Amino acid sequence: MPNDIFVITEQIDGTFADISFEMVGKAKELAASWGGQTIAVVLGSGVSADAFASDSTLFINDPNLAQFNPEAYGKVIEALVQERSPRLVLFGWTATGMDLAAWLSARTGKPCVAYARDLCIENNALVVNSQVYGGKMIAEVAPEGDLAIVACVAGTFSTDAGRGSTPATSMPSPVALDELKVKFVEAIKPAGGDVDITAQEKLVSIGRGIGGKENIELAEELAEKLGAVVSASRPVVDAGWLPRTRQVGKSGLKVKPKLYLMLGISGAPEHLEGMKSAELIIAVNTDKKAPIFNVAHYGATADLFEVAEAMLELL
Ligand SMILES: Cc1cc2nc3c(=O)[nH]c(=O)nc-3n(C[C@H](O)[C@H](O)[C@H](O)COP(=O)(O)OP(=O)(O)OC[C@H]3O[C@@H](n4cnc5c(N)ncnc54)[C@H](O)[C@@H]3O)c2cc1C
């Protein structure tokens, strides 16, 4: 059908990621002015797929899709797209969506817009806002042709409009999946033993601006005085200054504290993905153009060490 929109949803063990609801909600808004149907696409095995406010939901129910496998998922999505000719396919710009959007684009030769922050219909044509340079600039893109593939930054749209109970149509895989080159072996869950940052009401989160392991103590002292716990951006964890269990973001943990105090974090989309829903976001950064200031409720263009010392004194 012309202008139908596929939303490729994401789930682990039957729990759908918020990005799935965000995209269904956005797709409905687009479809209303573009004249197509919103079709949620669920890949998995034996999950309950009646979770969306889509016009319809296709549930490809196959044991080979029980866990994410880029080859299996890629082949199934490609076959569905060839068979049903949607005008737009939405993915999350997530660990799995990155694999699949690129796969579909390469296999179909159709344009893929990544890092999408907004989509709208102008003069009956799709226009996508895509963030570049870590969110410092927004590119306006109008994909040409009869199929557009767009991968959306998680945490950008509301989830509410996408939640619903449209009955899913369960169907077998449209392609054979018994001779895959990629095999799922094991899902390795993060090791426990550290504090659970997802359960904290207050987080003092440090980024590369903290400068070195020797300065972590200052953040810990401040956190203790605030009754908070220290979390971090990925570079801090990659450098080995804090354990992986403290990482917030796309490849870390999603947190939703009452207070998220950010010291020296630029606000890259991969970090925002993990903390955008925090109730109160306060950012301290020396760069007044840091993208985090577009998201923070309060911000200080200041040196984090001076702010931390001043706060400690006050506390
Ligand atoms: C697939 C993928 C997954 C990723 N997953 C994650 C993830 O889960 N979590 C994550 O965080 N990132 C993730 N990233 C990395 C992400 O793209 C960014 O590189 C990262 O978030 C940047 O971390 P940062 O803000 O600490 O560092 P930077 O971007 O280097 O920012 C440091 C900031 O500190 C400021 N600063 C420096 N000195 C001071 C000072 N004295 N006082 C105050 N401010 C100061 C600077 O102005 C700058 O804005 C991922 C990337 C990819 C490609």
Side-chain angles (χ1 to χ4, degrees):
M1 281 287 292
N3 299 348
D4 280 352
I5 303 173
F6 266 19
V7 176
I8 310 299
T9 63
E10 294 185 16
Q11 55 87 20
I12 295 178
D13 297 335
T15 302
F16 287 96
D18 280 353
I19 182 69
S20 311
F21 302 107
E22 288 180 45
M23 292 190 296
V24 169
K26 188 68 196 178
K28 283 178 66 185
E29 185 190 311
L30 294 172
S33 57
W34 215 14
Q37 300 270 301
T38 297
I39 303 162
V41 179
V42 178
L43 277 66
S45 178
V47 302
S48 170
D50 305 354
F52 299 100
S54 46
D55 293 308
S56 60
T57 298
L58 297 178
F59 174 29
I60 315 305
N61 191 2
D62 188 299
N64 291 300
L65 301 171
Q67 281 90 15
F68 178 69
N69 176 326
E71 186 189 3
Y73 276 47
K75 284 183 169 165
V76 169
I77 293 165
E78 184 189 344
L80 287 175
V81 166
Q82 302 291 8
E83 195 181 295
R84 293 172 185 249
S85 308
R87 176 68 185 76
L88 170 65
V89 183
L90 293 180
F91 292 90
W93 189 240
T94 57
T96 55
M98 277 179 190
D99 269 10
L100 298 173
W103 168 295
L104 186 63
S105 177
R107 298 283 300 177
T108 56
K110 302 295 179 181
C112 175
V113 185
Y115 282 108
R117 283 263 299 270
D118 202 7
L119 301 93
C120 64
I121 307 299
E122 280 177 17
N123 301 322
N124 209 33
L126 178 69
V127 177
V128 186
N129 282 355
S130 157
Q131 63 184 39
V132 288
Y133 299 119
K136 286 193 176 172
M137 289 174 74
I138 300 286
E140 207 175 79
V141 187
E144 290 181 347
D146 54 358
L147 170 64
I149 299 158
V150 175
C152 307
V153 172
T156 307
F157 314 123
S158 151
T159 56
D160 294 348
R163 293 184 195 276
S165 55
T166 302
T169 308
S170 177
M171 57 180 64
S173 169
V175 285
L177 296 173
D178 38 13
E179 284 189 26
L180 299 170
K181 294 189 194 79
V182 178
K183 300 266 179 252
F184 173 85
V185 179
E186 186 192 356
I188 301 170
K189 302 230 161 99
D194 193 21
V195 287
D196 179 3
I197 58 168
T198 64
Q200 305 301 319
E201 290 205 336
K202 296 179 198 165
L203 290 171
V204 171
S205 210
I206 52 175
R208 205 185 328 243
I210 196 76
K213 193 170 184 164
E214 64 283 5
N215 298 324
I216 304 280
E217 207 181 318
L218 177 67
E220 269 165 357
E221 206 182 326
L222 180 60
E224 198 191 320
K225 284 263 166 34
L226 286 168
V229 157
V230 176
S231 58
S233 67
R234 182 165 163 170
V236 172
V237 171
D238 283 350
W241 302 341
L242 280 174
R244 184 75 50 200
T245 42
R246 301 292 182 107
Q247 184 185 319
V248 173
K250 178 194 279 296
S251 49
L253 293 161
K254 311 263 180 294
V255 296
K256 204 178 171 181
K258 289 204 162 109
L259 169 68
Y260 194 70
L261 173 61
M262 307 175 73
L263 304 176
I265 299 182
S266 58
E270 293 84 4
H271 189 82
L272 300 186
E273 203 173 312
M275 45 61 67
K276 230 179 152 186
S277 317
E279 279 179 38
L280 180 64
I281 302 169
I282 304 176
V284 180
N285 198 304
T286 41
D287 176 6
K288 68 172 193 248
K289 289 193 176 149
I292 193 55
F293 289 131
N294 299 327
V295 175
H297 302 107
Y298 294 94
T301 308
D303 182 279
L304 73 89
F305 298 101
E306 284 176 19
V307 172
E309 295 289 0
M311 284 182 78
L312 278 173
E313 232 169 83
L314 281 172
L315 286 161

